[in-house]
Amino acid sequence: MSDKKFLTVEEVSERYRGSVSVGTLRNWRAMKIGPTFVKIGKAVLYPTNELDAWDEKNTVTCRASKGLDVDRR
């Protein structure tokens, strides 16, 4: 038995606090972009480990500005 966890389209939208709507997820699936999903019949499910990997891939790392002293108080 698989230990994978899955989220529905609505749960994925909720995970991203509504910033990614159900409609956006539908469009992304049609264009084959966005997070990896599984389709079983009409059910569309997103493996949580794939969402975590997608989050990592889309993480933006910022660097401190030149001359900015972080330890300054």
Side-chain angles (χ1 to χ4, degrees):
M1 184 169 175
S2 176
D3 288 338
K4 280 190 174 182
K5 304 280 189 243
F6 297 89
L7 296 180
T8 65
V9 175
E10 293 80 12
E11 290 169 329
V12 173
S13 180
E14 192 175 304
R15 172 182 168 130
Y16 296 109
R17 300 179 180 174
S19 294
V20 178
S21 71
V22 170
T24 296
L25 290 167
R26 183 182 314 112
N27 291 337
W28 286 352
R29 288 193 306 275
M31 294 186 295
K32 304 286 193 240
I33 61 174
T36 301
F37 63 94
V38 175
K39 187 161 185 182
I40 303 171
K42 291 183 180 181
V44 176
L45 301 171
Y46 290 86
T48 55
N49 63 324
E50 293 291 339
L51 291 171
D52 293 340
W54 191 67
D55 291 346
E56 285 296 319
K57 181 178 149 190
N58 288 289
T59 298
V60 177
T61 304
C62 298
R63 59 181 175 80
S65 297
K66 267 189 169 181
L68 182 64
D69 187 359
V70 177
D71 291 330
R72 187 186 300 179
R73 293 183 186 168

